[in-house]
Amino acid sequence: MSLDRLFWRRFFKHQARNARYMRLLFNDHFIIFLVILLGAAIICYRILLGMPASNPFWQTGWWQYGTLAWLLIGLQFGDFVTYVKPADRLFLLGNDRFMVSRYFRQALKVSYGYAILWQLAFIISIAPILTRIGINNVISVGSMIIFIMTYKLLMLMETREKLFLKPRTEPDVIIFERNTVPEELLYHFLYPAVVLGLILFLQPNLSAATLILWLLVLAGVWLFHFRTNHEKWQVYAIDWTPTVRQSQLHEQKILHFYSLFAEVPHLPKSIKRRPYLDWLISWMSGGRSGLYRLYAIRLVRNDEILPLIIRLIAVGIVILLSLSQAPFWLTVVVAAVVIYLINFQILPLYEETQKTLWTRLMPLTAAQRSQSFGRLLLQWSLISAVIISLANLAQPLRALGIFVGSLLMTAFLQWYYVPHALKKVNKGAR
């Protein structure tokens, strides 16, 4: 295979994998989650935009800070995608010129294409609010879009630059060490926040002047720092360790996203002890069997499931709070869906535990194992129901409806869905 086609071959291979997972997502639980999320977002937006522009609600300065924060969050989406493999450091060693001049250039084009889609999504989603707070002139909005698109390109080129063995330029004065938190805060948040603030919240003529100044700075940075030519291709080499690590981290992020809604084979699992949560294990497993304690330990120390459950509860609370003016039945349905998703995410823990050889040696029947795991799910369902209900206690009737909806879903899961799912796993393990 020609090296020139290496990147595109890997790109199309990853797209084929993404298409395969997308089919699983859009035919399964993701549709439920997506419909609920989009429905809640549309209702919230409709209620929000129903308020007249003269309402004091729109006059507060917090909207400007919120808009700025939303755009800065959007700038963090869209990574530099290389699809580099660990074996490349061996098989492509000595092909640094090809990597710098062709492979990374193709990677930058693809990465920027994805990044543009992310930025447009964030800009379009905030557009009605920009209009409400008075930022609706063509110059300010156009300047904002141009700045975001060009700054994102600069961020991607800087990421590519960090994969070289030696920086192209060594500044005389080093303010921050490379790849440190202060450097990330400065270049990813502080600089774009200042320029975006000047563009959005000053007069249109000053916005245009700020954009022109920024474009001049960008041209200078590109000309003297990021521009590649034949001489530089000969000089700079690839630092393979961070290059491979960056590519693997990006792939893990994508696989973890798919694992939220579908089973992803060969996804690495990790366990991390959290000493500050040992009390939770003792409280959960107090007076129960050793197998139950094992399930509780694996759940609390799991590096993926526990953070995911916490995020689901947090997202559920935010959605339910935003639905304070929505129909009563909708909040009950959303609460039930949150409980269902939490149970769905914990279920794979049972199969993972069953695959461990020493767990199988325990003198317990499949029914006893299923019963212990079912109790764990019941416990977490009740904990989650109490938390999301208490978060909505400002409206006692809605809080009661949320709790009842959660209990009904818990009862359905315990009596039908969970026994059926665990029985299926036990059959597969024979």
mmCIF file of all heavy atoms in Angstrom, residues 366-406:
data_model
loop_
_atom_site.group_PDB
_atom_site.id
_atom_site.type_symbol
_atom_site.label_atom_id
_atom_site.label_comp_id
_atom_site.label_asym_id
_atom_site.label_seq_id
_atom_site.Cartn_x
_atom_site.Cartn_y
_atom_site.Cartn_z
ATOM 1 N N ALA A 366 -26.609 -19.611 40.015
ATOM 2 C CA ALA A 366 -26.870 -18.452 39.158
ATOM 3 C C ALA A 366 -28.002 -17.600 39.714
ATOM 4 O O ALA A 366 -27.979 -16.360 39.617
ATOM 5 C CB ALA A 366 -27.212 -18.947 37.746
ATOM 6 N N ALA A 367 -28.985 -18.247 40.332
ATOM 7 C CA ALA A 367 -30.109 -17.493 40.904
ATOM 8 C C ALA A 367 -29.636 -16.596 42.045
ATOM 9 O O ALA A 367 -30.076 -15.448 42.179
ATOM 10 C CB ALA A 367 -31.173 -18.466 41.392
ATOM 11 N N GLN A 368 -28.722 -17.129 42.881
ATOM 12 C CA GLN A 368 -28.206 -16.321 43.992
ATOM 13 C C GLN A 368 -27.380 -15.131 43.492
ATOM 14 O O GLN A 368 -27.451 -14.035 44.042
ATOM 15 C CB GLN A 368 -27.356 -17.199 44.910
ATOM 16 C CG GLN A 368 -28.177 -18.214 45.713
ATOM 17 C CD GLN A 368 -27.298 -19.177 46.470
ATOM 18 O OE1 GLN A 368 -26.295 -19.687 45.948
ATOM 19 N NE2 GLN A 368 -27.668 -19.469 47.720
ATOM 20 N N ARG A 369 -26.610 -15.360 42.435
ATOM 21 C CA ARG A 369 -25.816 -14.263 41.863
ATOM 22 C C ARG A 369 -26.735 -13.185 41.285
ATOM 23 O O ARG A 369 -26.530 -11.989 41.503
ATOM 24 C CB ARG A 369 -24.898 -14.812 40.759
ATOM 25 C CG ARG A 369 -23.873 -15.810 41.229
ATOM 26 C CD ARG A 369 -23.208 -16.499 40.040
ATOM 27 N NE ARG A 369 -22.443 -17.659 40.453
ATOM 28 C CZ ARG A 369 -21.154 -17.616 40.772
ATOM 29 N NH1 ARG A 369 -20.510 -16.491 40.695
ATOM 30 N NH2 ARG A 369 -20.523 -18.702 41.155
ATOM 31 N N SER A 370 -27.757 -13.629 40.564
ATOM 32 C CA SER A 370 -28.695 -12.676 39.964
ATOM 33 C C SER A 370 -29.431 -11.899 41.042
ATOM 34 O O SER A 370 -29.670 -10.692 40.910
ATOM 35 C CB SER A 370 -29.688 -13.405 39.062
ATOM 36 O OG SER A 370 -29.019 -14.109 38.048
ATOM 37 N N GLN A 371 -29.791 -12.592 42.119
ATOM 38 C CA GLN A 371 -30.527 -11.936 43.201
ATOM 39 C C GLN A 371 -29.677 -10.842 43.853
ATOM 40 O O GLN A 371 -30.165 -9.749 44.135
ATOM 41 C CB GLN A 371 -30.941 -12.983 44.237
ATOM 42 C CG GLN A 371 -31.943 -12.469 45.257
ATOM 43 C CD GLN A 371 -32.351 -13.568 46.217
ATOM 44 O OE1 GLN A 371 -31.623 -14.528 46.449
ATOM 45 N NE2 GLN A 371 -33.541 -13.435 46.772
ATOM 46 N N SER A 372 -28.411 -11.143 44.092
ATOM 47 C CA SER A 372 -27.525 -10.142 44.705
ATOM 48 C C SER A 372 -27.366 -8.925 43.795
ATOM 49 O O SER A 372 -27.420 -7.778 44.257
ATOM 50 C CB SER A 372 -26.145 -10.757 44.980
ATOM 51 O OG SER A 372 -26.232 -11.725 45.990
ATOM 52 N N PHE A 373 -27.192 -9.172 42.501
ATOM 53 C CA PHE A 373 -27.009 -8.047 41.586
ATOM 54 C C PHE A 373 -28.309 -7.250 41.437
ATOM 55 O O PHE A 373 -28.278 -6.018 41.312
ATOM 56 C CB PHE A 373 -26.548 -8.556 40.221
ATOM 57 C CG PHE A 373 -25.991 -7.482 39.346
ATOM 58 C CD1 PHE A 373 -24.707 -7.009 39.544
ATOM 59 C CD2 PHE A 373 -26.763 -6.904 38.340
ATOM 60 C CE1 PHE A 373 -24.185 -5.997 38.753
ATOM 61 C CE2 PHE A 373 -26.259 -5.894 37.541
ATOM 62 C CZ PHE A 373 -24.961 -5.448 37.753
ATOM 63 N N GLY A 374 -29.446 -7.947 41.455
ATOM 64 C CA GLY A 374 -30.725 -7.247 41.380
ATOM 65 C C GLY A 374 -30.914 -6.301 42.561
ATOM 66 O O GLY A 374 -31.441 -5.194 42.409
ATOM 67 N N ARG A 375 -30.461 -6.730 43.755
ATOM 68 C CA ARG A 375 -30.559 -5.861 44.920
ATOM 69 C C ARG A 375 -29.676 -4.625 44.772
ATOM 70 O O ARG A 375 -30.033 -3.531 45.215
ATOM 71 C CB ARG A 375 -30.152 -6.638 46.172
ATOM 72 C CG ARG A 375 -31.209 -7.630 46.631
ATOM 73 C CD ARG A 375 -30.728 -8.437 47.819
ATOM 74 N NE ARG A 375 -31.723 -9.425 48.224
ATOM 75 C CZ ARG A 375 -31.479 -10.412 49.065
ATOM 76 N NH1 ARG A 375 -30.277 -10.551 49.590
ATOM 77 N NH2 ARG A 375 -32.435 -11.255 49.383
ATOM 78 N N LEU A 376 -28.505 -4.829 44.157
ATOM 79 C CA LEU A 376 -27.628 -3.675 43.922
ATOM 80 C C LEU A 376 -28.324 -2.654 43.018
ATOM 81 O O LEU A 376 -28.296 -1.440 43.267
ATOM 82 C CB LEU A 376 -26.322 -4.140 43.275
ATOM 83 C CG LEU A 376 -25.315 -3.040 42.977
ATOM 84 C CD1 LEU A 376 -24.555 -2.666 44.246
ATOM 85 C CD2 LEU A 376 -24.321 -3.472 41.900
ATOM 86 N N LEU A 377 -28.955 -3.154 41.936
ATOM 87 C CA LEU A 377 -29.667 -2.250 41.025
ATOM 88 C C LEU A 377 -30.823 -1.554 41.734
ATOM 89 O O LEU A 377 -31.069 -0.358 41.534
ATOM 90 C CB LEU A 377 -30.180 -3.028 39.817
ATOM 91 C CG LEU A 377 -29.127 -3.539 38.842
ATOM 92 C CD1 LEU A 377 -29.766 -4.410 37.778
ATOM 93 C CD2 LEU A 377 -28.405 -2.372 38.184
ATOM 94 N N LEU A 378 -31.532 -2.317 42.575
ATOM 95 C CA LEU A 378 -32.652 -1.726 43.321
ATOM 96 C C LEU A 378 -32.156 -0.614 44.240
ATOM 97 O O LEU A 378 -32.762 0.467 44.318
ATOM 98 C CB LEU A 378 -33.350 -2.820 44.135
ATOM 99 C CG LEU A 378 -34.464 -2.353 45.077
ATOM 100 C CD1 LEU A 378 -35.602 -1.731 44.281
ATOM 101 C CD2 LEU A 378 -34.979 -3.516 45.919
ATOM 102 N N GLN A 379 -31.027 -0.858 44.898
ATOM 103 C CA GLN A 379 -30.474 0.142 45.814
ATOM 104 C C GLN A 379 -30.093 1.426 45.078
ATOM 105 O O GLN A 379 -30.429 2.531 45.508
ATOM 106 C CB GLN A 379 -29.251 -0.446 46.518
ATOM 107 C CG GLN A 379 -28.787 0.361 47.719
ATOM 108 C CD GLN A 379 -27.657 -0.345 48.439
ATOM 109 O OE1 GLN A 379 -26.823 -0.996 47.806
ATOM 110 N NE2 GLN A 379 -27.625 -0.243 49.752
ATOM 111 N N TRP A 380 -29.437 1.276 43.930
ATOM 112 C CA TRP A 380 -29.030 2.459 43.180
ATOM 113 C C TRP A 380 -30.213 3.180 42.552
ATOM 114 O O TRP A 380 -30.210 4.395 42.415
ATOM 115 C CB TRP A 380 -28.000 2.077 42.109
ATOM 116 C CG TRP A 380 -26.629 2.091 42.687
ATOM 117 C CD1 TRP A 380 -25.957 1.046 43.240
ATOM 118 C CD2 TRP A 380 -25.779 3.222 42.835
ATOM 119 N NE1 TRP A 380 -24.738 1.446 43.707
ATOM 120 C CE2 TRP A 380 -24.597 2.774 43.473
ATOM 121 C CE3 TRP A 380 -25.885 4.559 42.492
ATOM 122 C CZ2 TRP A 380 -23.545 3.628 43.767
ATOM 123 C CZ3 TRP A 380 -24.822 5.427 42.784
ATOM 124 C CH2 TRP A 380 -23.676 4.960 43.412
ATOM 125 N N SER A 381 -31.229 2.434 42.169
ATOM 126 C CA SER A 381 -32.431 3.077 41.626
ATOM 127 C C SER A 381 -33.097 3.940 42.692
ATOM 128 O O SER A 381 -33.503 5.080 42.426
ATOM 129 C CB SER A 381 -33.418 2.014 41.134
ATOM 130 O OG SER A 381 -32.874 1.286 40.064
ATOM 131 N N LEU A 382 -33.195 3.414 43.918
ATOM 132 C CA LEU A 382 -33.838 4.177 44.992
ATOM 133 C C LEU A 382 -33.000 5.396 45.375
ATOM 134 O O LEU A 382 -33.539 6.491 45.609
ATOM 135 C CB LEU A 382 -34.056 3.270 46.215
ATOM 136 C CG LEU A 382 -35.035 2.112 45.999
ATOM 137 C CD1 LEU A 382 -35.118 1.238 47.238
ATOM 138 C CD2 LEU A 382 -36.416 2.653 45.634
ATOM 139 N N ILE A 383 -31.668 5.218 45.432
ATOM 140 C CA ILE A 383 -30.793 6.366 45.745
ATOM 141 C C ILE A 383 -30.960 7.463 44.689
ATOM 142 O O ILE A 383 -31.115 8.648 45.006
ATOM 143 C CB ILE A 383 -29.322 5.902 45.827
ATOM 144 C CG1 ILE A 383 -29.109 4.996 47.034
ATOM 145 C CG2 ILE A 383 -28.386 7.108 45.893
ATOM 146 C CD1 ILE A 383 -27.729 4.360 47.086
ATOM 147 N N SER A 384 -30.968 7.053 43.429
ATOM 148 C CA SER A 384 -31.102 8.029 42.338
ATOM 149 C C SER A 384 -32.463 8.710 42.388
ATOM 150 O O SER A 384 -32.576 9.929 42.175
ATOM 151 C CB SER A 384 -30.916 7.336 40.984
ATOM 152 O OG SER A 384 -29.709 6.633 40.941
ATOM 153 N N ALA A 385 -33.509 7.933 42.680
ATOM 154 C CA ALA A 385 -34.869 8.506 42.757
ATOM 155 C C ALA A 385 -34.954 9.556 43.854
ATOM 156 O O ALA A 385 -35.549 10.633 43.659
ATOM 157 C CB ALA A 385 -35.879 7.391 42.995
ATOM 158 N N VAL A 386 -34.347 9.271 44.998
ATOM 159 C CA VAL A 386 -34.377 10.230 46.111
ATOM 160 C C VAL A 386 -33.608 11.503 45.742
ATOM 161 O O VAL A 386 -34.063 12.624 46.006
ATOM 162 C CB VAL A 386 -33.782 9.574 47.379
ATOM 163 C CG1 VAL A 386 -33.577 10.619 48.473
ATOM 164 C CG2 VAL A 386 -34.698 8.467 47.868
ATOM 165 N N ILE A 387 -32.443 11.339 45.104
ATOM 166 C CA ILE A 387 -31.611 12.513 44.770
ATOM 167 C C ILE A 387 -32.336 13.436 43.785
ATOM 168 O O ILE A 387 -32.423 14.650 43.997
ATOM 169 C CB ILE A 387 -30.255 12.048 44.186
ATOM 170 C CG1 ILE A 387 -29.427 11.359 45.271
ATOM 171 C CG2 ILE A 387 -29.485 13.246 43.628
ATOM 172 C CD1 ILE A 387 -28.132 10.756 44.760
ATOM 173 N N ILE A 388 -32.867 12.871 42.696
ATOM 174 C CA ILE A 388 -33.509 13.745 41.701
ATOM 175 C C ILE A 388 -34.824 14.318 42.225
ATOM 176 O O ILE A 388 -35.251 15.393 41.805
ATOM 177 C CB ILE A 388 -33.726 13.011 40.354
ATOM 178 C CG1 ILE A 388 -34.623 11.796 40.533
ATOM 179 C CG2 ILE A 388 -32.400 12.616 39.742
ATOM 180 C CD1 ILE A 388 -34.921 11.090 39.212
ATOM 181 N N SER A 389 -35.459 13.614 43.143
ATOM 182 C CA SER A 389 -36.690 14.165 43.738
ATOM 183 C C SER A 389 -36.361 15.322 44.671
ATOM 184 O O SER A 389 -37.031 16.366 44.646
ATOM 185 C CB SER A 389 -37.433 13.075 44.502
ATOM 186 O OG SER A 389 -37.780 12.025 43.648
ATOM 187 N N LEU A 390 -35.321 15.157 45.490
ATOM 188 C CA LEU A 390 -34.932 16.231 46.411
ATOM 189 C C LEU A 390 -34.474 17.472 45.648
ATOM 190 O O LEU A 390 -34.691 18.601 46.096
ATOM 191 C CB LEU A 390 -33.813 15.745 47.342
ATOM 192 C CG LEU A 390 -34.222 14.718 48.402
ATOM 193 C CD1 LEU A 390 -33.002 14.271 49.205
ATOM 194 C CD2 LEU A 390 -35.271 15.311 49.334
ATOM 195 N N ALA A 391 -33.824 17.270 44.494
ATOM 196 C CA ALA A 391 -33.362 18.413 43.698
ATOM 197 C C ALA A 391 -34.533 19.245 43.176
ATOM 198 O O ALA A 391 -34.359 20.422 42.838
ATOM 199 C CB ALA A 391 -32.502 17.935 42.530
ATOM 200 N N ASN A 392 -35.718 18.640 43.093
ATOM 201 C CA ASN A 392 -36.906 19.354 42.599
ATOM 202 C C ASN A 392 -37.887 19.670 43.727
ATOM 203 O O ASN A 392 -39.080 19.861 43.479
ATOM 204 C CB ASN A 392 -37.608 18.510 41.526
ATOM 205 C CG ASN A 392 -36.815 18.436 40.240
ATOM 206 O OD1 ASN A 392 -36.998 19.252 39.344
ATOM 207 N ND2 ASN A 392 -35.910 17.470 40.145
ATOM 208 N N LEU A 393 -37.385 19.698 44.965
ATOM 209 C CA LEU A 393 -38.266 19.882 46.117
ATOM 210 C C LEU A 393 -38.882 21.284 46.158
ATOM 211 O O LEU A 393 -39.842 21.507 46.908
ATOM 212 C CB LEU A 393 -37.476 19.624 47.405
ATOM 213 C CG LEU A 393 -38.305 19.177 48.616
ATOM 214 C CD1 LEU A 393 -39.107 17.924 48.289
ATOM 215 C CD2 LEU A 393 -37.401 18.920 49.819
ATOM 216 N N ALA A 394 -38.344 22.223 45.378
ATOM 217 C CA ALA A 394 -38.943 23.564 45.342
ATOM 218 C C ALA A 394 -40.382 23.508 44.850
ATOM 219 O O ALA A 394 -41.189 24.383 45.168
ATOM 220 C CB ALA A 394 -38.116 24.479 44.440
ATOM 221 N N GLN A 395 -40.719 22.481 44.053
ATOM 222 C CA GLN A 395 -42.102 22.249 43.607
ATOM 223 C C GLN A 395 -42.529 20.882 44.158
ATOM 224 O O GLN A 395 -42.319 19.853 43.505
ATOM 225 C CB GLN A 395 -42.187 22.276 42.084
ATOM 226 C CG GLN A 395 -41.893 23.661 41.492
ATOM 227 C CD GLN A 395 -41.988 23.662 39.979
ATOM 228 O OE1 GLN A 395 -41.279 22.919 39.302
ATOM 229 N NE2 GLN A 395 -42.867 24.481 39.454
ATOM 230 N N PRO A 396 -43.088 20.863 45.365
ATOM 231 C CA PRO A 396 -43.344 19.576 46.048
ATOM 232 C C PRO A 396 -44.176 18.601 45.230
ATOM 233 O O PRO A 396 -43.902 17.395 45.236
ATOM 234 C CB PRO A 396 -44.087 20.014 47.320
ATOM 235 C CG PRO A 396 -43.666 21.424 47.543
ATOM 236 C CD PRO A 396 -43.485 22.012 46.179
ATOM 237 N N LEU A 397 -45.195 19.103 44.507
ATOM 238 C CA LEU A 397 -46.046 18.193 43.742
ATOM 239 C C LEU A 397 -45.262 17.515 42.627
ATOM 240 O O LEU A 397 -45.398 16.310 42.380
ATOM 241 C CB LEU A 397 -47.241 18.966 43.165
ATOM 242 C CG LEU A 397 -48.307 18.105 42.475
ATOM 243 C CD1 LEU A 397 -48.873 17.084 43.449
ATOM 244 C CD2 LEU A 397 -49.421 18.969 41.896
ATOM 245 N N ARG A 398 -44.415 18.305 41.939
ATOM 246 C CA ARG A 398 -43.585 17.724 40.867
ATOM 247 C C ARG A 398 -42.564 16.747 41.456
ATOM 248 O O ARG A 398 -42.288 15.696 40.863
ATOM 249 C CB ARG A 398 -42.866 18.830 40.103
ATOM 250 C CG ARG A 398 -43.765 19.568 39.151
ATOM 251 C CD ARG A 398 -43.007 20.556 38.289
ATOM 252 N NE ARG A 398 -43.910 21.185 37.352
ATOM 253 C CZ ARG A 398 -44.212 20.686 36.158
ATOM 254 N NH1 ARG A 398 -43.662 19.564 35.760
ATOM 255 N NH2 ARG A 398 -45.070 21.310 35.371
ATOM 256 N N ALA A 399 -42.004 17.099 42.615
ATOM 257 C CA ALA A 399 -41.042 16.200 43.261
ATOM 258 C C ALA A 399 -41.698 14.868 43.595
ATOM 259 O O ALA A 399 -41.105 13.794 43.406
ATOM 260 C CB ALA A 399 -40.481 16.865 44.517
ATOM 261 N N LEU A 400 -42.940 14.928 44.075
ATOM 262 C CA LEU A 400 -43.669 13.691 44.385
ATOM 263 C C LEU A 400 -43.919 12.882 43.110
ATOM 264 O O LEU A 400 -43.758 11.656 43.086
ATOM 265 C CB LEU A 400 -44.994 14.033 45.069
ATOM 266 C CG LEU A 400 -45.868 12.838 45.468
ATOM 267 C CD1 LEU A 400 -45.123 11.957 46.473
ATOM 268 C CD2 LEU A 400 -47.203 13.305 46.039
ATOM 269 N N GLY A 401 -44.299 13.586 42.010
ATOM 270 C CA GLY A 401 -44.523 12.904 40.736
ATOM 271 C C GLY A 401 -43.248 12.251 40.217
ATOM 272 O O GLY A 401 -43.270 11.128 39.697
ATOM 273 N N ILE A 402 -42.121 12.957 40.370
ATOM 274 C CA ILE A 402 -40.831 12.391 39.942
ATOM 275 C C ILE A 402 -40.505 11.133 40.741
ATOM 276 O O ILE A 402 -40.049 10.122 40.188
ATOM 277 C CB ILE A 402 -39.731 13.456 40.104
ATOM 278 C CG1 ILE A 402 -39.911 14.565 39.061
ATOM 279 C CG2 ILE A 402 -38.344 12.834 39.993
ATOM 280 C CD1 ILE A 402 -39.040 15.776 39.299
ATOM 281 N N PHE A 403 -40.746 11.191 42.046
ATOM 282 C CA PHE A 403 -40.440 10.024 42.888
ATOM 283 C C PHE A 403 -41.343 8.846 42.521
ATOM 284 O O PHE A 403 -40.875 7.701 42.421
ATOM 285 C CB PHE A 403 -40.620 10.408 44.360
ATOM 286 C CG PHE A 403 -40.129 9.368 45.315
ATOM 287 C CD1 PHE A 403 -38.776 9.079 45.417
ATOM 288 C CD2 PHE A 403 -41.017 8.651 46.102
ATOM 289 C CE1 PHE A 403 -38.308 8.110 46.284
ATOM 290 C CE2 PHE A 403 -40.558 7.666 46.971
ATOM 291 C CZ PHE A 403 -39.205 7.404 47.060
ATOM 292 N N VAL A 404 -42.630 9.125 42.312
ATOM 293 C CA VAL A 404 -43.557 8.041 41.952
ATOM 294 C C VAL A 404 -43.178 7.451 40.584
ATOM 295 O O VAL A 404 -43.165 6.220 40.399
ATOM 296 C CB VAL A 404 -45.010 8.564 41.946
ATOM 297 C CG1 VAL A 404 -45.959 7.515 41.369
ATOM 298 C CG2 VAL A 404 -45.440 8.942 43.353
ATOM 299 N N GLY A 405 -42.859 8.314 39.601
ATOM 300 C CA GLY A 405 -42.454 7.823 38.281
ATOM 301 C C GLY A 405 -41.199 6.971 38.370
ATOM 302 O O GLY A 405 -41.084 5.935 37.705
ATOM 303 N N SER A 406 -40.255 7.380 39.230
ATOM 304 C CA SER A 406 -39.019 6.602 39.406
ATOM 305 C C SER A 406 -39.317 5.252 40.036
ATOM 306 O O SER A 406 -38.738 4.228 39.639
ATOM 307 C CB SER A 406 -38.043 7.389 40.281
ATOM 308 O OG SER A 406 -37.764 8.648 39.724
#
